[in-house]
Amino acid sequence: DNNRGERALRGVCVSRKNWNFTGSENGGHALAILLTLLETCKQNGVNPRHYLIDVLERIQDHPANRLHELLPYHWAPLAHPLGQDKCRLV
């Protein structure tokens, strides 16, 4: 049964003509990585918008040998000093 996989690809297939205009092969590769991250967020119950905002703010100071901690299935938002999730303040 591959229904789950087919549902995950539905968004990509519906707009596949738009992917012809990624600009270059490198642009297509970057788009594939982004879509994979966003779909992984959805499958793990993570809000993709909150995930991207938090990870893009943190990644420059994060050790390169621990980047796996920022993947959607390991990710947890930083706690805000006021006790709220930093990502909910957006």
Side-chain angles (χ1 to χ4, degrees):
D1 185 13
N2 65 349
N3 288 337
R4 185 175 175 190
E6 288 182 9
R7 276 194 309 271
L9 289 173
R10 182 166 165 56
V12 175
C13 292
V14 167
S15 58
R16 73 179 138 215
K17 290 189 181 190
N18 293 332
W19 310 139
N20 291 329
F21 304 103
T22 58
S24 67
E25 186 174 340
N26 289 337
H29 184 69
L31 179 63
I33 291 170
L34 180 63
L35 289 173
T36 301
L37 278 174
L38 295 178
E39 198 56 45
T40 304
C41 284
K42 292 176 190 176
Q43 290 180 1
N44 287 286
V46 173
N47 184 321
R49 182 173 185 260
H50 293 171
Y51 170 77
L52 288 175
I53 289 170
D54 185 55
V55 168
L56 291 174
E57 287 177 352
R58 280 204 264 178
I59 198 163
Q60 66 185 1
D61 298 324
H62 202 77
N65 63 345
R66 292 180 25 214
L67 284 178
H68 66 278
E69 295 172 357
L70 297 179
L71 292 173
Y73 39 84
H74 294 297
W75 174 79
L78 288 177
H80 191 270
L82 299 175
Q84 299 171 335
D85 287 344
K86 180 179 180 182
C87 296
R88 290 192 183 140
L89 300 175
V90 176

